[in-house]
Amino acid sequence: MEWKYSPKSIEKKWQEYWERERLFEVREDSGREKYYLLEMFPYPSGRIHMGHVRNYSIGDVVARHLRMRGLNVLHPMGWDAFGMPAENAAIKAKTHPAKWTYDNIDYMRSQLKKLGFSYDWSREFATCDVSYYRWEQLFFLLMYRKGLAYKRSAYVNWCNTCQTVLANEQVEGGACWRCDQPVIQKQMEQWFFKITDYAEELLDYTYKLPGWPERVLTMQQNWIGKSFGSRLVFPLESGDGEITVFTTRADTLFGATFMSIAPEHPLVTKLCRGKSQESDVLQFIERAKQAKRSDREADLLEKEGIFTGSHCINPVTGLKIPVYVANFVLMEYGTGAVMAVPAHDQRDFEFAGKYGLPVKVVIQPVDAVDPPKAEELTAAFEEDGVLVNSDAFSGMTSGEARDAITAFLAEKGLGETTVQYRLRDWGISRQRYWGAPIPIIYCDRCGTVPVPEKDLPVVLPTDVALLASGASPLPVHEPFVNTVCPECGGPGRRETDTMDTFVESSWYFARFACPGHDTGPLDLSRVGYWMPVDQYIGGIEHAVLHLLYSRFFVKVLRDMGYLDVDEPFLNLLTQGMVIKDGAKMSKSKGNVVDPDEMIEAYGADTVRLFCLFASPPEKDLEWSEQGVEGSFRFLSRMWRLVAENREKLLKAVKYDGERRLPTHLLDLHRKTHQTIKKVTDDIGERFHFNTAIAAVMELVNHMYQILESPPGDDELWPVFREAVESMILLVSPIVPHIAEELWHSMGYTESVLLQPWPKWRSEALQSEEVLIVVQVNGRLRSRITVPADASADQVQRTALEDPRIREFISGKTPRKVVVVPNRLVNIVV
C-alpha cells in the first residue's frame, strides 16, 4: 500500500474491477426486497456538467447504501436522445444528428464511468434507438384507437427560432424553454394527447404522494387548476350562434355589461365579418398574437380591446351587450370568453373606464345600507356580499345567488353547474426532424389512416440533408413521405411531424425494467417486480413538464394493461442547483467548472465528496475550490490513518464488545457506534449526506487523538480496527474507490460493496456518566456528573452534597426533591 493517497493510481483499477465482476447488474429476485432508484436521465449534449455530477452522486450514495443493507437495487442509466438541440448542433457542425448524438453518448458514458457510479449498464438504451421508439409508436396507435390521440386545428405556441410548436408547459415566461426566444401564437393542424381525460385523477393523486416535495405537488395542482363554477350561454344578437363563458361568479351576472373574447377565439372573424370594424379588428388580432405570451399571462400589457361590431344577449337581463376582442383574454383559459362585470372585477373596471362602457352595481357589502352608485366607484368591489339590482335574486347572499341563478338558467338551457380545469390537452406535434415519427398516413380517399401494427416501426430516415433554416427535411424527403395507403392500396403520404421528446421520457423508466424485451414494449412480470420507481431524483424545473406527463402516461399504460401501478414515482427528491460566483453555472456566464478537470486534479472521490458535503441535496450548492481542496485533504487523512498503521491493524482481531475497556478506548468504541447510527439515519432516513460526512470526520479526528497518546497495543488495535473498518464501510457509498482500496488493504478480498452495512450496538451508545442539571426552587443552581445507571437515591444524595447547592439551601431541610432520570434534580425548600 502506497503511503501517499494518489487517486489516479486506484480509481481506474476499481472501475475496471466493478465492470469485470459485473457488480452492478441485477435481476428480479422474488425472495428479496426490491428498490428501484433512478435519476432523471441526461440529454447527450456532449459533456456532463457539475449539476449532473451532483445529481448522480446523490443517487449513487443511496443505491450503494441500500445494496449493502441487503436490498435488490435497480440503478439504470440511459439517454434522452431526441430533440432540437441535437438537430441544431448537427446543423452547425455540418454533421448528422445521429452521429452527433451517439458520439456524445460514448463520451458522456466514459465520463460517468470515471466517476464510479454504480449503474447497471446492461440496461442502457437511447430513446433515439429504433428498438425503443417503435414501442412508443405502438402506444400512439393504441391511444388513437381509444380517442386519446387526435388531430385538430388550434392556436399553438410557435417558436420561430426553433421552427416548431411548443406545449403550454414548454413556454416559460413567454419564451421557448429551449432557446429562450419569444413565443407567438399560430394556428396549425396539430396532434394532441388527451391528458384532460385524466385531469381529475392526476389532481387526486397529488394528495396521495407523501414522498414528493410539497412545492412540486402545489405546482402541479395549480397547473391542473380545478375550479367549481357555472357555464353560462350568451346568445348572439344575430340569432346564429352563442358565446359560452365559464365563471365562478354567476352572482354578478346582472352586472355583465359587455363581453371580452380572446384574439384567438374561433368566433372573432364571424363577429366582425362585413362590419365597418372588420379591418381594424383583424389588425388588432394580429398585433395581439405577436405580444409576449408571458405578458398576456401575467396581465402586464396595457389593457386594450376593440369592438367587433356585434352584440350578444345577457341571459338574465335580456339586454344586448357589445362584444370586444381584448388582449388580456387567453384562449386556453376557460372558454376564451369572459363576461365583463366592471363594478365587481378590477380589470373589467379599468377596461370599461378606458372605452366608456357602462358600469352596473349588483353586489353590495353585507353590512351596507344602500348600494354605492356606479358613477362614484373608484375601484371594483370584488368580494362576496348581498345582491342588489338583480330582480328576484336581490337580497340573496352571493353564495345563494350563484346556485339560484345557475339553476334558473339551466331551466332555460342557458347554464349549468360545472367544473373547469386549467389543464389543456398535450400538443405533441413537432415540426422538426430529430424525433420519433408519428405513425399516421394520409390518403385522399380514406382520410387519416393509422399505420398497421405489423408495419411498425416507422423508421426515421437517416439519409436526409438537414436544412440550414432548422425546418424539418422530412416533408421534402420523398422516399419517406410517399407511401401506400394500408386501407385502399392507393398513394398515401406519411405524417411528417415528429413526436414531442417529452413522450420518450414519459415511459423510459418502465422500459429500464426490461430493456431487451423484443416481443412487446414491456415484460409484465419484470415490470411488475420493479415498478414503481421507489426514489426519483431530478431538478425542480421538471415539476410540471416531465413529471406531469410521466404521471399521465403511466395511467394510460395502466389502463391499456401494460402496468399495474397508478403512479410512476413513490418518492421524489428535487436537488438544488450548482452555483458559482453567485449564479447558476452556465457557458454564457463563463462560470462553468469542467468535471474532467476536477477529476484529473483531485480524483473522482474528491469531486463526489465535495458535491455531497458542501450542502444538503435539496439546497443550492455554492462551488468552492477551497472546499474541493478540503475534501481532498480529508481523504488523504483517511488514507494515512490506514497506511501508517496498517501492519498493526492487520495483526489485530476486531473488538467484539465482550471485554471491558479503559476509558479512552471505551470512548472510541462509543464514538464508532454513535457514528454508525448517525450515518445510517442521515443517509437512510433523511438524505442528509453532509451531516453524515461530518460525523465520519469527527470519528477520524477522534482516532487521531487516540493515536497521540496510545494505550498498550493489546488494548488499542482491536478497538482501532473496529473504528477503521466502520469508517471504511460508512464512507464507501460516498467515496467508493478509496473505500475499496482501504478495505482490501485491511486484508479482505471481496468488494466493499458486498459487505453488510455496519450495525450499531445500543449498549455501546450509552455514556458511562451523565450530566444532571440541579435546580433549587425551579432555578438552575448547579450541574453534577453521576454514573449513567445511578439510582434516584444516588442522584439525590450527590445533588444535596454538591457545595454550591449546600450554599443555596443554607442548612434548610428540603420539603421535596424531584429527580428526573438522566436529566435534572429540583430541590424545593
Side-chain angles (χ1 to χ4, degrees), residues 286-305:
E286 288 308 310
R287 191 168 68 252
K289 288 179 188 174
Q290 302 303 316
K292 269 187 163 182
R293 178 190 172 91
S294 60
D295 290 347
R296 292 181 66 193
E297 284 182 331
D299 205 13
L300 297 177
L301 292 176
E302 179 185 354
K303 297 166 185 63
E304 293 183 323

Side-chain angles (χ1 to χ4, degrees), residues 216-369:
V216 174
L217 295 174
T218 299
M219 291 170 74
Q220 291 209 2
Q221 289 159 4
N222 291 341
W223 189 262
I224 295 168
K226 184 177 182 180
S227 299
F228 296 91
S230 305
R231 191 180 302 276
L232 307 178
V233 176
F234 289 69
L236 294 179
E237 182 193 22
S238 61
D240 60 347
E242 59 191 30
I243 297 175
T244 302
V245 303
F246 170 82
T247 180
T248 59
R249 293 299 305 270
D251 55 315
T252 66
L253 180 56
F254 281 86
T257 59
F258 62 98
M259 177 71 66
S260 301
I261 62 174
E264 302 84 5
H265 197 288
L267 284 177
V268 169
T269 53
K270 174 183 175 179
L271 293 173
C272 68
R273 187 178 298 125
K275 305 290 197 304
S276 61
Q277 298 90 344
E278 182 175 8
S279 176
D280 290 340
V281 170
L282 295 179
Q283 288 180 31
F284 176 86
I285 290 170
E286 288 308 310
R287 191 168 68 252
K289 288 179 188 174
Q290 302 303 316
K292 269 187 163 182
R293 178 190 172 91
S294 60
D295 290 347
R296 292 181 66 193
E297 284 182 331
D299 205 13
L300 297 177
L301 292 176
E302 179 185 354
K303 297 166 185 63
E304 293 183 323
I306 189 167
F307 178 44
T308 62
S310 293
H311 293 79
C312 60
I313 305 301
N314 184 316
V316 289
T317 66
L319 300 175
K320 69 176 186 178
I321 60 176
V323 180
Y324 274 71
V325 181
N327 64 348
F328 55 82
V329 181
L330 300 172
M331 190 63 219
E332 58 267 31
Y333 293 166
T335 64
V338 177
M339 68 174 201
V341 186
H344 305 293
D345 181 276
Q346 186 61 28
R347 185 177 60 184
D348 295 341
F349 181 80
E350 294 171 7
F351 191 89
K354 181 173 183 176
Y355 292 100
L357 295 165
V359 177
K360 180 182 178 182
V361 175
V362 294
I363 305 286
Q364 69 176 27
V366 174
D367 56 356
V369 177

Side-chain angles (χ1 to χ4, degrees), residues 11 65 135 144 147 458 510 537 543 559 604 620 630 654 663 682 718 813 821:
E11 291 186 346
H65 171 242
W135 303 119
Y144 181 76
V458 177
I537 303 173
D559 292 348
D620 289 346
K654 186 172 70 172
T663 301
D682 282 354
T813 301

Side-chain angles (χ1 to χ4, degrees), residues 368-389:
V369 177
D370 296 309
K373 294 179 180 179
E375 59 272 18
E376 296 175 354
L377 289 178
T378 58
F381 175 69
E382 298 184 317
E383 306 301 320
D384 279 3
V386 176
L387 269 68
V388 294
N389 302 321

